[in-house]
């Protein structure tokens, strides 16, 4: 069978694969916002069935024929991004699905709902031991599955590749070591600064309804189009659901402080990327953006490099003051300093821009050592607390503040944590590329003008959907793969200016 016929075969498989992924996104959104407590068991049966149907797409003679055919095709010689992306992603999924033992995957799927319930119970009771037996089973199953997929590779490398295709533990550890050193030096110099602020703007209590409306408006004005999604606030943990090529829905946890603004901007960044594919990309069902680290890069760019930029607030701060009199007596300079205050804390999701990556590296190193056999699940609370003290200078008082604070290990996101810090690294590379073509970006933000920025992102990032890997995208727009230095340079310039240190 010739190339074109085989290509049409994998297009058909990819279409059905994406339909099942949409169903799974709907399940996830419902689980976090509306699923009743006693509905979980049946939902997991349905979810396991859908997962099995998705996996079975690769168990056909047609899929095997296509895999054999394209295994002998040199992808580097294919000039069309969509075709190359279709073939690459098909071969990647084919390997993973056909080598994953079905009995292990079914056991894991059936385990997920109860694992999540045990995590919630353990959090409430501040007792990791409630969660430990379930997490032990989860990690054991994940390691078995990873070794079945690729017995010649370290299990953790395989798990990383499931979320950040084309990136391995060696490359990540190398750049994380660069990041740790640079961040440690920057945090040390900031802690010696004489610039301080007693005020914490995130502790100011605001009307949650008005704050939600204000946050949504900022997300819309940054470029998020509600006709391609919408907002949901019935969740305890913010996320974005990728339902279709023009359907990316933002879920935020409704609260009464300014964190909601930055959460909205972050999730809007995800949604704009996920729903920004070109017509050709969408027709090929290659929409949604690059999963993992590059999704985090565009989200954190919108949250931090736009949303925590002083130029941005020169435009929006007078509006915030008019909407919330609580800020009437606080000047822009004090607001900006407080917004970007560097203060190591226990919680990742509210960590400042400088120390955030240290939270992620902590989790990454724990996962790496668990998969390598250097840690047991029962060791996690102590190891977590030790690394927290080492990297952040503070030690959790209980398990809920420490090892139980994230839902990822309970929610099928093992091997994902590195994506957040990789997102920061790619974010720095993205900013460097943008400033080369839009050197007056700050002037644009001072006028509340996002047109040039969104046009650049549409043309250079969003339109390609998931046709490239993160490393390929970074290399295309910057000439380099993973490189922590631009992000460190950005942080150094910004925070040396704020804290007046070298």
């Amino acid at each position: 069978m010739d190339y074109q016929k085989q290509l049409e075969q994998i297009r058909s498989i990819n279409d059905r694969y994406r339909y099942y992924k949409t169903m799974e996104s709907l399940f996830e959104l419902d689980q976090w916002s509306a699923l009743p407590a006693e509905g979980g068991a049946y939902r997991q049966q349905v979810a396991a069935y859908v997962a099995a149907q998705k996996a079975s797409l690769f168990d056909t003679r047609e899929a095997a024929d296509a895999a054999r055919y394209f295994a002998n095709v040199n992808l580097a010689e294919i000039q069309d991004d969509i075709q190359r992306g279709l073939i690459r992603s098909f071969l990647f999924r084919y390997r993973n699905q056909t080598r994953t033992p079905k009995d292990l995957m079914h056991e894991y799927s059936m385990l997920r709902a109860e694992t999540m319930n045990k995590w919630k119970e353990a959090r409430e009771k501040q007792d990791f031991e409630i969660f430990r037996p379930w997490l032990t089973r989860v990690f054991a199953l994940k390691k078995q599955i990873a070794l079945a997929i690729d017995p010649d590779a370290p299990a953790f490398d395989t798990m990383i590749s499931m979320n950040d295709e084309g990136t391995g533990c060696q490359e990540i550890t190398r750049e994380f070591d660069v990041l740790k050193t640079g961040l440690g030096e920057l945090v040390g110099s900031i802690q010696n600064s004489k610039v301080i602020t007693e005020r914490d703007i995130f502790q100011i209590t605001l009307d949650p309804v008005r704050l939600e409306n204000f946050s949504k408006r900022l997300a819309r004005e940054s470029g998020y189009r509600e006709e391609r999604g919408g907002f949901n606030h019935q969740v305890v943990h913010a996320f974005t659901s990728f339902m279709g090529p023009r359907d990316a829905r933002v879920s935020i946890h409704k609260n009464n402080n300014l964190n909601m603004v930055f959460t909205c901007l972050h999730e809007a960044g995800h949604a704009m990327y996920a729903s920004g594919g070109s017509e050709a990309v969408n027709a090929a069902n290659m929409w949604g953006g690059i999963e993992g680290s590059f999704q985090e890069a565009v989200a954190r760019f919108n949250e931090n490099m736009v949303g925590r930029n002083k130029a941005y607030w020169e435009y929006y701060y007078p509006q915030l003051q008019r909407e919330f009199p609580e800020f009437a007596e606080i000047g822009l300079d004090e607001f900006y300093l407080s917004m970007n205050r560097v203060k190591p804390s226990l919680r990742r999701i509210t960590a400042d821009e400088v120390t955030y990556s240290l939270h992620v590296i902590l989790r990454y190193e724990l996962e790496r050592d668990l998969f390598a056999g250097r840690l047991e699940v029962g060791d996690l609370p102590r190891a977590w607390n030790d690394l927290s003290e080492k990297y952040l200078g503070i030690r959790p008082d209980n398990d809920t503040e420490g090892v139980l604070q994230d839902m990822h290990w309970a929610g099928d996101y093992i091997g994902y944590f590195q994506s957040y810090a990789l997102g920061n690294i790619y974010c720095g590379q993205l900013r460097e590329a943008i400033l080369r073509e839009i050197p007056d970006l700050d002037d644009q933000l001072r006028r509340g003008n996002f047109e040039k920025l969104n046009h650049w992102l549409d043309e250079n990032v969003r339109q390609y959907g998931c046709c490239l890997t993160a490393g390929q995208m970074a290399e295309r727009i910057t000439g380099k793969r993973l490189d922590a230095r631009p992000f460190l340079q950005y942080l150094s310039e910004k925070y040396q200016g704020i804290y007046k240190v070298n």
Side-chain angles (χ1 to χ4, degrees):
M1 190 178 288
D2 64 18
Y3 174 89
Q4 199 58 42
K5 289 183 179 178
Q6 291 288 8
L7 185 65
E8 288 307 311
Q9 183 62 51
I10 66 170
R11 279 182 183 269
S12 174
I13 292 171
N14 183 64
D15 285 348
R16 286 172 283 164
Y17 180 87
R18 295 312 295 263
Y19 299 155
Y20 285 126
K21 289 283 284 183
T22 293
M23 292 182 203
E24 289 174 332
S25 292
L26 285 165
F27 288 165
E28 181 184 46
L29 179 60
D30 183 59
Q31 177 177 327
W32 283 98
S33 58
L35 183 66
E38 294 186 11
Y42 179 72
R43 170 57 53 79
Q44 281 308 117
Q45 293 176 34
V46 178
Y49 173 80
V50 169
Q53 295 303 304
K54 184 178 68 175
S56 72
L57 294 171
F58 301 91
D59 287 336
T60 66
R61 186 186 66 185
E62 292 79 9
D65 289 344
R68 281 192 295 271
Y69 178 87
F70 285 115
N72 297 310
V73 171
N74 185 353
L75 295 185
E77 295 178 355
I78 300 174
Q79 298 301 309
D80 184 271
D81 286 325
I82 296 174
Q83 291 186 19
R84 189 172 59 252
L86 274 165
I87 297 166
R88 188 205 77 251
S89 58
F90 167 76
L91 290 173
F92 181 70
R93 291 168 186 157
Y94 179 84
R95 183 202 72 159
N96 294 341
Q97 295 286 1
T98 57
R99 294 185 182 182
T100 298
K102 291 180 175 55
D103 57 336
L104 294 182
M105 198 63 224
H106 180 75
E107 181 181 353
Y108 178 72
S109 296
M110 295 302 293
L111 185 67
R112 284 176 59 187
E114 191 58 26
T115 300
M116 182 64 74
N117 289 336
K118 290 297 179 181
W119 171 74
K120 291 177 182 177
E121 181 185 350
R123 271 180 58 86
E124 291 169 2
K125 296 179 179 178
Q126 300 183 359
D127 185 0
F128 177 76
E129 283 302 303
I130 295 170
F131 186 45
R132 182 183 59 79
W134 300 87
L135 187 60
T136 299
R137 290 176 65 193
V138 163
F139 270 107
L141 283 169
K142 281 291 189 178
K143 187 170 184 176
Q144 286 179 268
I145 290 168
L147 291 173
I149 290 172
D150 191 346
D152 298 322
F156 192 46
D157 273 81
T158 301
M159 293 308 306
I160 287 171
S161 74
M162 304 288 278
N163 298 294
D164 287 295
E165 183 186 350
T167 308
C169 189
Q170 184 176 359
E171 182 182 19
I172 293 170
T173 298
R174 182 195 71 216
E175 294 303 316
F176 279 6
D177 285 346
V178 173
L179 201 55
K180 276 193 300 187
T181 300
L183 292 176
E185 292 172 354
L186 183 57
V187 171
S189 65
I190 289 171
Q191 288 175 335
N192 291 325
S193 170
K194 295 180 181 179
V195 176
I196 59 172
T197 176
E198 298 299 328
R199 194 188 304 272
D200 184 352
I201 59 170
F202 295 100
Q203 295 300 316
I204 297 174
T205 301
L206 304 171
D207 178 82
V209 175
R210 288 164 56 209
L211 181 59
E212 181 182 11
N213 291 334
F214 184 78
S215 301
K216 288 178 181 178
R217 179 166 71 81
L218 296 195
R220 286 191 291 267
E221 291 182 11
S222 76
Y224 179 50
R225 297 163 60 178
E226 283 192 85
E227 61 268 29
R228 292 185 178 182
F231 293 96
N232 164 48
H233 60 247
Q234 300 177 42
V235 295
V236 297
H237 195 291
F239 60 95
T240 299
S241 304
F242 308 151
M243 304 295 192
R246 293 290 187 260
D247 183 356
R249 307 182 198 177
V250 168
S251 292
I252 54 175
H253 175 54
K254 192 172 184 177
N255 57 40
N256 59 3
N257 65 69
L258 277 181
N259 281 310
M260 189 186 292
V261 167
F262 299 101
T263 298
C264 251
L265 290 174
H266 180 96
E267 299 304 334
H270 277 307
M272 287 187 282
Y273 184 23
S275 60
S278 69
E279 292 302 323
V281 160
N282 292 343
N285 262 321
M286 293 295 285
W287 50 270
I290 303 166
E291 293 182 359
S293 57
F294 220 84
Q295 263 288 356
E296 296 304 329
V298 293
R300 292 188 71 76
F301 183 88
N302 206 51
E303 173 191 358
N304 291 329
M305 294 184 176
V306 172
R308 294 182 194 269
N309 188 320
K310 190 173 185 179
Y312 177 88
W313 286 103
E314 285 177 22
Y315 181 77
Y316 280 110
Y317 191 52
Q319 300 176 39
L320 179 74
Q321 290 176 307
R322 286 195 295 271
E323 186 68 26
F324 300 99
E326 292 88 343
F327 295 96
E329 302 303 318
I330 303 174
L332 175 61
D333 288 342
E334 185 181 3
F335 175 82
Y336 179 66
L337 173 61
S338 182
M339 176 176 61
N340 289 290
R341 183 170 66 166
V342 176
K343 184 178 181 182
S345 64
L346 291 171
R347 297 187 68 209
R348 174 185 63 86
I349 60 172
T350 57
D352 60 76
E353 193 178 14
V354 174
T355 62
Y356 180 88
S357 294
L358 295 172
H359 286 265
V360 177
I361 292 170
L362 178 158
R363 292 151 170 79
Y364 163 81
E365 291 181 351
L366 290 177
E367 285 191 331
R368 181 193 63 192
D369 290 351
L370 271 167
F371 275 97
R374 292 189 289 269
L375 276 181
E376 300 292 335
V377 171
D379 300 327
L380 279 174
R382 174 195 52 78
W384 182 294
N385 293 347
D386 288 346
L387 286 181
S388 180
E389 192 166 25
K390 179 180 178 181
Y391 294 158
L392 298 163
I394 45 180
R395 194 172 186 89
D397 289 330
N398 56 64
D399 291 341
T400 299
E401 288 183 345
V403 71
L404 292 171
Q405 70 174 266
D406 293 303
M407 63 85 179
H408 293 64
W409 291 336
D412 198 24
Y413 287 93
I414 292 173
Y416 189 86
F417 273 122
Q418 76 283 341
S419 297
Y420 295 117
L422 292 181
N424 280 336
I425 292 174
Y426 286 130
C427 196
Q429 295 177 260
L430 194 61
R431 174 181 176 270
E432 190 176 60
I434 289 170
L435 289 178
R436 280 199 297 266
E437 295 192 33
I438 315 176
D440 65 337
L441 178 61
D442 281 359
D443 289 335
Q444 300 285 321
L445 297 179
R446 284 188 185 95
R447 299 194 295 271
N449 188 335
F450 300 90
E451 185 176 350
K452 282 187 179 181
L453 175 59
N454 279 315
H455 177 74
W456 191 95
L457 289 167
D458 285 340
E459 290 297 307
N460 293 280
V461 178
R462 294 170 184 158
Q463 70 155 319
Y464 295 107
C466 59
C467 291
L468 307 174
T469 65
Q472 290 169 343
M473 176 64 80
E475 194 164 16
R476 175 170 292 191
I477 63 178
T478 71
K480 300 176 183 176
R481 286 179 59 87
L482 191 64
D483 183 1
R485 291 171 298 176
F487 180 60
L488 283 172
Q489 180 67 25
Y490 154 76
L491 290 179
S492 295
E493 290 174 359
K494 176 177 177 178
Y495 287 91
Q496 285 174 3
I498 291 173
Y499 282 94
K500 305 187 188 317
V501 295
N502 294 318

